[in-house]
PDB file of all heavy atoms in Angstrom:
ATOM      1  N   THR A  29      -1.932 -17.616  -7.518  1.00 98.00           N
ATOM      2  CA  THR A  29      -1.509 -16.208  -7.600  1.00 98.00           C
ATOM      3  C   THR A  29      -0.721 -15.817  -6.350  1.00 98.00           C
ATOM      4  O   THR A  29       0.489 -15.622  -6.405  1.00 98.00           O
ATOM      5  CB  THR A  29      -2.732 -15.293  -7.772  1.00 98.00           C
ATOM      6  OG1 THR A  29      -3.635 -15.515  -6.680  1.00 98.00           O
ATOM      7  CG2 THR A  29      -3.424 -15.551  -9.095  1.00 98.00           C
ATOM      8  N   GLY A  32      -4.280 -16.553   0.062  1.00 98.00           N
ATOM      9  CA  GLY A  32      -5.486 -15.844   0.462  1.00 98.00           C
ATOM     10  C   GLY A  32      -5.792 -16.111   1.929  1.00 98.00           C
ATOM     11  O   GLY A  32      -5.287 -17.070   2.520  1.00 98.00           O
ATOM     12  N   ARG A  52      -7.847  -4.413   7.530  1.00 95.00           N
ATOM     13  CA  ARG A  52      -8.264  -3.984   6.190  1.00 95.00           C
ATOM     14  C   ARG A  52      -9.392  -2.972   6.299  1.00 95.00           C
ATOM     15  O   ARG A  52     -10.329  -3.163   7.072  1.00 95.00           O
ATOM     16  CB  ARG A  52      -8.743  -5.200   5.404  1.00 95.00           C
ATOM     17  CG  ARG A  52      -9.157  -4.930   3.944  1.00 95.00           C
ATOM     18  CD  ARG A  52      -9.558  -6.239   3.315  1.00 95.00           C
ATOM     19  NE  ARG A  52     -10.065  -6.156   1.964  1.00 95.00           N
ATOM     20  CZ  ARG A  52      -9.332  -6.370   0.868  1.00 95.00           C
ATOM     21  NH1 ARG A  52      -8.031  -6.605   0.983  1.00 95.00           N
ATOM     22  NH2 ARG A  52      -9.883  -6.348  -0.327  1.00 95.00           N
ATOM     23  N   ASN A  56     -13.136  -1.952   1.282  1.00 95.00           N
ATOM     24  CA  ASN A  56     -12.447  -2.686   0.215  1.00 95.00           C
ATOM     25  C   ASN A  56     -13.032  -4.106   0.137  1.00 95.00           C
ATOM     26  O   ASN A  56     -12.870  -4.891   1.056  1.00 95.00           O
ATOM     27  CB  ASN A  56     -10.938  -2.724   0.514  1.00 95.00           C
ATOM     28  CG  ASN A  56     -10.115  -3.049  -0.725  1.00 95.00           C
ATOM     29  OD1 ASN A  56     -10.661  -3.255  -1.813  1.00 95.00           O
ATOM     30  ND2 ASN A  56      -8.807  -3.111  -0.556  1.00 95.00           N
ATOM     31  N   PRO A  57     -13.730  -4.440  -0.960  1.00 97.00           N
ATOM     32  CA  PRO A  57     -14.469  -5.711  -1.022  1.00 97.00           C
ATOM     33  C   PRO A  57     -13.573  -6.939  -1.183  1.00 97.00           C
ATOM     34  O   PRO A  57     -12.421  -6.834  -1.593  1.00 97.00           O
ATOM     35  CB  PRO A  57     -15.347  -5.537  -2.259  1.00 97.00           C
ATOM     36  CG  PRO A  57     -14.656  -4.530  -3.107  1.00 97.00           C
ATOM     37  CD  PRO A  57     -13.914  -3.626  -2.171  1.00 97.00           C
ATOM     38  N   ILE A  59     -12.911 -11.037  -2.596  1.00 98.00           N
ATOM     39  CA  ILE A  59     -13.199 -11.939  -3.719  1.00 98.00           C
ATOM     40  C   ILE A  59     -13.739 -13.252  -3.159  1.00 98.00           C
ATOM     41  O   ILE A  59     -13.208 -13.783  -2.180  1.00 98.00           O
ATOM     42  CB  ILE A  59     -11.908 -12.192  -4.534  1.00 98.00           C
ATOM     43  CG1 ILE A  59     -11.441 -10.896  -5.218  1.00 98.00           C
ATOM     44  CG2 ILE A  59     -12.122 -13.302  -5.561  1.00 98.00           C
ATOM     45  CD1 ILE A  59     -10.063 -10.998  -5.867  1.00 98.00           C
ATOM     46  N   HIS A  61     -14.194 -17.224  -3.632  1.00 99.00           N
ATOM     47  CA  HIS A  61     -13.528 -18.315  -4.353  1.00 99.00           C
ATOM     48  C   HIS A  61     -14.435 -19.544  -4.371  1.00 99.00           C
ATOM     49  O   HIS A  61     -14.979 -19.915  -3.330  1.00 99.00           O
ATOM     50  CB  HIS A  61     -12.202 -18.658  -3.668  1.00 99.00           C
ATOM     51  CG  HIS A  61     -11.214 -17.522  -3.653  1.00 99.00           C
ATOM     52  ND1 HIS A  61     -11.404 -16.403  -2.874  1.00 99.00           N
ATOM     53  CD2 HIS A  61     -10.056 -17.340  -4.316  1.00 99.00           C
ATOM     54  CE1 HIS A  61     -10.383 -15.561  -3.079  1.00 99.00           C
ATOM     55  NE2 HIS A  61      -9.556 -16.108  -3.950  1.00 99.00           N
ATOM     56  N   SER A 111     -22.263  -5.671  -6.461  1.00 98.00           N
ATOM     57  CA  SER A 111     -21.525  -6.639  -7.281  1.00 98.00           C
ATOM     58  C   SER A 111     -20.580  -7.443  -6.399  1.00 98.00           C
ATOM     59  O   SER A 111     -20.245  -7.026  -5.289  1.00 98.00           O
ATOM     60  CB  SER A 111     -20.717  -5.899  -8.349  1.00 98.00           C
ATOM     61  OG  SER A 111     -19.784  -5.039  -7.721  1.00 98.00           O
ATOM     62  N   ARG A 115     -13.916 -15.974  -8.293  1.00 98.00           N
ATOM     63  CA  ARG A 115     -12.750 -16.592  -8.917  1.00 98.00           C
ATOM     64  C   ARG A 115     -12.709 -18.064  -8.563  1.00 98.00           C
ATOM     65  O   ARG A 115     -13.125 -18.460  -7.460  1.00 98.00           O
ATOM     66  CB  ARG A 115     -11.519 -15.841  -8.421  1.00 98.00           C
ATOM     67  CG  ARG A 115     -10.217 -16.600  -8.334  1.00 98.00           C
ATOM     68  CD  ARG A 115      -9.066 -15.597  -8.381  1.00 98.00           C
ATOM     69  NE  ARG A 115      -7.947 -16.009  -7.539  1.00 98.00           N
ATOM     70  CZ  ARG A 115      -7.067 -16.949  -7.883  1.00 98.00           C
ATOM     71  NH1 ARG A 115      -7.178 -17.593  -9.022  1.00 98.00           N
ATOM     72  NH2 ARG A 115      -6.068 -17.252  -7.062  1.00 98.00           N
ATOM     73  N   PRO A 136      -9.343 -12.148   0.801  1.00 98.00           N
ATOM     74  CA  PRO A 136      -8.383 -11.190   0.255  1.00 98.00           C
ATOM     75  C   PRO A 136      -7.004 -11.839   0.314  1.00 98.00           C
ATOM     76  O   PRO A 136      -6.859 -12.964   0.811  1.00 98.00           O
ATOM     77  CB  PRO A 136      -8.470 -10.029   1.238  1.00 98.00           C
ATOM     78  CG  PRO A 136      -8.757 -10.692   2.556  1.00 98.00           C
ATOM     79  CD  PRO A 136      -9.562 -11.940   2.246  1.00 98.00           C
ATOM     80  N   SER A 137      -5.989 -11.160  -0.176  1.00 98.00           N
ATOM     81  CA  SER A 137      -4.624 -11.655  -0.007  1.00 98.00           C
ATOM     82  C   SER A 137      -4.297 -11.714   1.491  1.00 98.00           C
ATOM     83  O   SER A 137      -4.786 -10.903   2.275  1.00 98.00           O
ATOM     84  CB  SER A 137      -3.644 -10.754  -0.750  1.00 98.00           C
ATOM     85  OG  SER A 137      -3.873  -9.392  -0.422  1.00 98.00           O
ATOM     86  N   GLU A 174      -1.292 -10.945  -7.978  1.00 98.00           N
ATOM     87  CA  GLU A 174      -2.719 -11.190  -7.775  1.00 98.00           C
ATOM     88  C   GLU A 174      -3.455 -11.336  -9.117  1.00 98.00           C
ATOM     89  O   GLU A 174      -2.984 -10.863 -10.154  1.00 98.00           O
ATOM     90  CB  GLU A 174      -3.354 -10.058  -6.963  1.00 98.00           C
ATOM     91  CG  GLU A 174      -2.683  -9.741  -5.638  1.00 98.00           C
ATOM     92  CD  GLU A 174      -1.561  -8.730  -5.768  1.00 98.00           C
ATOM     93  OE1 GLU A 174      -1.086  -8.475  -6.904  1.00 98.00           O
ATOM     94  OE2 GLU A 174      -1.158  -8.172  -4.724  1.00 98.00           O
ATOM     95  N   SER A 175      -4.659 -11.941  -9.039  1.00 98.00           N
ATOM     96  CA  SER A 175      -5.441 -12.248 -10.245  1.00 98.00           C
ATOM     97  C   SER A 175      -5.819 -10.989 -11.032  1.00 98.00           C
ATOM     98  O   SER A 175      -5.913  -9.891 -10.489  1.00 98.00           O
ATOM     99  CB  SER A 175      -6.725 -12.982  -9.846  1.00 98.00           C
ATOM    100  OG  SER A 175      -7.546 -12.160  -9.034  1.00 98.00           O
ATOM    101  N   ARG A 189      -7.925  -4.620 -12.608  1.00 96.00           N
ATOM    102  CA  ARG A 189      -6.572  -4.893 -12.115  1.00 96.00           C
ATOM    103  C   ARG A 189      -5.923  -5.876 -13.080  1.00 96.00           C
ATOM    104  O   ARG A 189      -6.518  -6.896 -13.401  1.00 96.00           O
ATOM    105  CB  ARG A 189      -6.634  -5.487 -10.697  1.00 96.00           C
ATOM    106  CG  ARG A 189      -5.265  -5.812 -10.117  1.00 96.00           C
ATOM    107  CD  ARG A 189      -5.335  -6.286  -8.673  1.00 96.00           C
ATOM    108  NE  ARG A 189      -5.853  -7.641  -8.559  1.00 96.00           N
ATOM    109  CZ  ARG A 189      -6.116  -8.265  -7.408  1.00 96.00           C
ATOM    110  NH1 ARG A 189      -5.931  -7.624  -6.268  1.00 96.00           N
ATOM    111  NH2 ARG A 189      -6.575  -9.501  -7.406  1.00 96.00           N
ATOM    112  N   SER A 218     -13.520   0.543  -8.938  1.00 64.00           N
ATOM    113  CA  SER A 218     -13.060  -0.517  -8.049  1.00 64.00           C
ATOM    114  C   SER A 218     -12.550   0.114  -6.765  1.00 64.00           C
ATOM    115  O   SER A 218     -11.622   0.910  -6.793  1.00 64.00           O
ATOM    116  CB  SER A 218     -11.935  -1.303  -8.700  1.00 64.00           C
ATOM    117  OG  SER A 218     -11.436  -2.237  -7.782  1.00 64.00           O
ATOM    118  N   GLY A 220     -10.727  -0.899  -4.483  1.00 60.00           N
ATOM    119  CA  GLY A 220      -9.321  -1.180  -4.184  1.00 60.00           C
ATOM    120  C   GLY A 220      -8.383  -0.159  -4.787  1.00 60.00           C
ATOM    121  O   GLY A 220      -7.307   0.110  -4.261  1.00 60.00           O
TER     122      GLY A 220
HETATM  123  O1  LIG B 421      -5.252 -13.413  -6.786  1.00 95.81           O
HETATM  124  C1  LIG B 421      -6.070 -12.852  -6.069  1.00 95.81           C
HETATM  125  O2  LIG B 421      -6.990 -12.167  -6.525  1.00 95.81           O
HETATM  126  C2  LIG B 421      -5.929 -13.042  -4.558  1.00 95.81           C
HETATM  127  C3  LIG B 421      -6.195 -14.513  -4.242  1.00 95.81           C
HETATM  128  C4  LIG B 421      -6.185 -14.787  -2.770  1.00 95.81           C
HETATM  129  O3  LIG B 421      -7.399 -14.902  -4.845  1.00 95.81           O
HETATM  130  N1  LIG B 421      -6.818 -12.186  -3.855  1.00 95.81           N
HETATM  131  C5  LIG B 421      -6.647 -10.842  -3.787  1.00 95.81           C
HETATM  132  O4  LIG B 421      -7.614 -10.193  -3.036  1.00 95.81           O
HETATM  133  O5  LIG B 421      -5.729 -10.247  -4.330  1.00 95.81           O
HETATM  134  P1  LIG B 421      -7.500  -8.677  -2.590  1.00 95.81           P
HETATM  135  O6  LIG B 421      -8.611  -8.478  -1.648  1.00 95.81           O
HETATM  136  O7  LIG B 421      -6.140  -8.398  -2.094  1.00 95.81           O
HETATM  137  O8  LIG B 421      -7.814  -7.867  -3.891  1.00 95.81           O
HETATM  138  C6  LIG B 421      -9.131  -7.867  -4.426  1.00 95.81           C
HETATM  139  C7  LIG B 421      -9.288  -6.761  -5.424  1.00 95.81           C
HETATM  140  C8  LIG B 421      -9.346  -5.414  -4.745  1.00 95.81           C
HETATM  141  O9  LIG B 421      -8.645  -4.465  -5.547  1.00 95.81           O
HETATM  142  C9  LIG B 421     -10.843  -5.128  -4.708  1.00 95.81           C
HETATM  143  O10 LIG B 421     -11.131  -3.746  -4.659  1.00 95.81           O
HETATM  144  C10 LIG B 421     -11.328  -5.763  -6.002  1.00 95.81           C
HETATM  145  O11 LIG B 421     -10.530  -6.938  -6.114  1.00 95.81           O
HETATM  146  N2  LIG B 421     -12.738  -6.144  -5.913  1.00 95.81           N
HETATM  147  C11 LIG B 421     -13.299  -7.149  -5.188  1.00 95.81           C
HETATM  148  N3  LIG B 421     -14.636  -7.160  -5.299  1.00 95.81           N
HETATM  149  C12 LIG B 421     -14.958  -6.132  -6.123  1.00 95.81           C
HETATM  150  C13 LIG B 421     -16.185  -5.594  -6.618  1.00 95.81           C
HETATM  151  N4  LIG B 421     -17.353  -6.105  -6.274  1.00 95.81           N
HETATM  152  N5  LIG B 421     -16.118  -4.529  -7.441  1.00 95.81           N
HETATM  153  C14 LIG B 421     -14.936  -3.994  -7.790  1.00 95.81           C
HETATM  154  N6  LIG B 421     -13.734  -4.440  -7.349  1.00 95.81           N
HETATM  155  C15 LIG B 421     -13.741  -5.489  -6.525  1.00 95.81           C
END
Side-chain angles (χ1 to χ4, degrees):
T29 57
R52 183 178 176 97
N56 199 0
I59 294 171
H61 298 70
S111 61
R115 151 157 145 78
S137 50
E174 306 88 344
S175 63
R189 179 175 74 185
S218 175

